[in-house]
Each structure stands twice: as C-alpha cells, then as structure tokens.
Amino acid sequence: PDSGTLDCCCGSTPYMSPEVVTGKRYTEKTDIWSLGVTCYEILFDEVPYNATEDIPKEERPQATMRIIAKGVPEPSYQCAQSGRGMKQVPSLAIDLIKRVLLERNQVLRASASQALEHEFLARNMLEGDEMGAKTAENSNSSISTTATTRTAVSSLRSFGGTSCGSV
C-alpha cells in the first residue's frame, strides 16, 4: 500500500496480531507476530493465545480475538502436554519469541531484518542459504519476512522439532 499500512481484518484468528484484532492500522510487522505464533506452536504444541475448549465452538474465534487484544491470559511458554518426552527449550528461543516476535506493541516489534539479528537466529542461520539471500537481495532495501520465516523455522527444526515430543 502507498501509505505503508493496512486496516482490513483477515487471517486465521490465532495468528492475528493485537493491532489486527483491534482494528488498528498495521504494517508488515503483523507478519512478524504471526511468525512468533508459528514458532511458539512449533515449540509448545499450541498457539500462545486461544480460547479454551469450554467456550462453545461458534464463539471461539471472537473469544480468541478478545484474548489476543487484551493479552490475557499470557502465554505459559510451557508444553501443553506434559510427560511426552519433552526437551528443554533453549532460553534464547523463548527470548526470541517473547521479546522480539510476540512484542505486543507493533512499533516496538522487530522488523524482519531486526529479528534475524537475534542471537538465537544468528547462531542457527544455515550457511549457504542461497534462497534466503536471493529473497533478501530481491527486496532491495531489507530482509524479507519470507527469508526471516525460513530462517526461524529452520532454526527451530535444527533444535529438533517441538519440545513436546511430537514432530
């Protein structure tokens, strides 16, 4: 868009950013939020903000949007299913998700290139990632969200899948 922001509400509810569910204008940083949700789900086998099973199914999308908007309850950063061969999640991976990708304030949330500078991703970047480099090159001015997503997901996979034992 010419203005650099959008204001339509679209997407899969659990992956929507606070600015989307509250009807505020948003930038590409909303995609960084969605990446944070995806990374959280890879590690913990659930999305960070979601209505519980006791809410009637037809009311869950709206209830989930209210939870995302308020940020309550906060994500646990623990596996939803205990006792399934869980691994210890690296504190740097939690820091990436909590402080960088799922930053509730979109102004403070990292851009794609800033997220790649986080120590967890910098340590785990795949050498010779030509596709990611070409994607970044083609964007001319900054690293694309696609390249950041590929790097984050590859880093989490190199960690060994979810901490909850499912792959």
Side-chain angles (χ1 to χ4, degrees):
D2 293 333
S3 67
T5 63
L6 297 171
D7 62 1
C8 63
C9 183
C10 58
S12 298
T13 307
Y15 299 86
M16 290 180 179
S17 64
E19 56 272 18
V20 170
V21 300
T22 56
K24 295 179 181 165
R25 296 195 69 77
Y26 58 92
T27 68
E28 69 280 352
K29 287 185 177 182
T30 198
D31 295 329
I32 298 300
W33 175 274
S34 299
L35 172 60
V37 173
T38 301
C39 291
Y40 187 97
E41 188 172 22
I42 288 170
L43 289 176
F44 302 109
D45 239 7
E46 66 179 2
V47 293
Y49 299 98
N50 207 8
T52 57
E53 296 290 322
D54 61 329
I55 305 282
K57 191 173 184 174
E58 63 277 1
E59 295 175 22
R60 284 187 205 148
Q62 288 299 319
T64 297
M65 289 173 79
R66 286 190 298 276
I67 291 166
I68 293 168
K70 292 178 181 177
V72 177
E74 290 186 16
S76 68
Y77 292 90
Q78 295 185 9
C79 185
Q81 308 275 330
S82 61
R84 288 186 14 199
M86 295 185 331
K87 301 175 192 171
Q88 180 65 35
V89 176
S91 59
L92 281 175
I94 292 173
D95 183 69
L96 169 70
I97 296 168
K98 190 176 202 174
R99 197 177 53 78
V100 178
L101 305 177
L102 291 182
E103 165 59 53
R104 298 191 57 76
N105 182 331
Q106 72 172 322
V107 174
L108 300 176
R109 192 176 309 135
S111 66
S113 57
Q114 290 167 331
L116 283 173
E117 292 173 5
H118 187 275
E119 188 177 355
F120 180 76
L121 295 182
R123 279 187 183 181
N124 292 294
M125 267 202 219
L126 300 174
E127 290 184 19
D129 184 4
E130 293 176 22
M131 187 173 175
K134 286 180 183 168
T135 303
E137 250 176 52
N138 293 338
S139 71
N140 287 329
S141 61
S142 65
I143 304 290
S144 72
T145 305
T146 302
T148 304
T149 301
R150 288 183 72 253
T151 301
V153 170
S154 294
S155 295
L156 293 171
R157 282 188 180 150
S158 71
F159 164 65
T162 74
S163 64
C164 300
S166 63
V167 180

